[in-house]
Amino acid sequence: GIEDEWQHTFQFKNSSSEALEIKDVQLTPPLVVAKMPVRVRPGESDSITVRLEKPREKGEFRGSVVVNFKNEASNPLVFWVLGKVVPPIEFDPFPMFFVSTQRGHEKTASLEVISHEPETFEILRAEHSSSRFTTEVETLEPGRRYRVTLTLKGDGPAGRMTDTITLV
């Protein structure tokens, strides 16, 4: 999620005959090193823990962790971090409606409300104070996905208007 604490531990083994000393680690922001060893003895295993810091952009994340060693003969270790950063509750395509119509014509638009949280949730109803449009809530996947549809009646006064819809 956008706000969740996210970290991962990568395991590796020193299969060389000499101790490995870490020179530096290059990471794709906002990845940072949370924990790493200074040196790893021959034949031993160790790990590097990385964390995804905030702020994070929502959407696909592709990053790398490149561990460079002081030993000339040791190739860098490369770990890949691939994932999708999502908000706890996602509104698709937007958390708002953009609707326009001509007088006498109804216009309908809808959006989906999707939970990425472990707990389920239920939208009981949509509340608003406008008589220019109606709303309807439809369950697509109980506890997880809902569709909210707005129908603009097309009989109100002309001009731009902004209204708040509260999902209960």
Side-chain angles (χ1 to χ4, degrees):
I2 297 249
E3 293 301 320
D4 297 349
E5 193 55 48
W6 184 91
Q7 65 176 35
H8 183 78
T9 301
F10 293 100
Q11 305 285 338
F12 66 95
K13 183 175 181 169
N14 178 3
S15 12
S16 75
S17 56
E18 55 181 297
L20 285 177
E21 283 192 55
I22 293 179
K23 182 169 89 179
D24 60 34
V25 181
Q26 297 163 308
L27 307 115
T28 307
L31 284 171
V32 295
V33 173
K35 186 172 162 282
M36 73 175 198
V38 177
R39 50 186 293 144
V40 184
R41 292 203 293 264
E44 289 196 357
S45 293
D46 215 317
S47 62
I48 287 189
T49 301
V50 295
R51 186 172 59 238
L52 196 58
E53 291 282 86
K54 299 169 200 144
R56 306 178 192 149
E57 296 295 315
K58 73 176 195 199
E60 298 291 324
F61 177 79
R62 300 171 74 82
S64 63
V65 178
V66 180
V67 183
N68 296 304
F69 298 100
K70 289 181 182 171
N71 319 49
E72 292 294 311
S74 301
N75 289 326
L77 263 181
V78 181
F79 299 107
W80 293 98
V81 179
L82 305 172
K84 186 173 183 182
V85 179
V86 293
I89 303 284
E90 180 181 3
F91 291 85
D92 185 23
F94 301 106
M96 58 193 69
F97 292 101
F98 300 98
V99 188
S100 64
T101 187
Q102 295 174 324
R103 181 168 304 288
H105 293 82
E106 276 193 355
K107 183 74 179 272
T108 298
S110 62
L111 58 82
E112 285 190 22
V113 184
I114 305 145
S115 172
H116 297 289
E117 294 283 83
E119 309 84 42
T120 59
F121 81 114
E122 187 180 356
I123 297 179
L124 301 172
R125 64 189 176 278
E127 294 179 347
H128 56 85
S129 57
S130 179
S131 57
R132 293 178 69 173
F133 61 87
T134 59
T135 54
E136 183 190 340
V137 177
E138 180 187 354
T139 303
L140 300 177
E141 187 185 326
R144 293 261 159 238
R145 292 172 72 101
Y146 297 87
R147 180 179 293 126
V148 181
T149 303
L150 177 142
T151 303
L152 186 60
K153 295 177 184 173
D155 59 3
R160 292 175 72 111
M161 189 184 123
T162 302
D163 254 305
T164 301
I165 299 169
T166 303
L167 299 178
V168 180

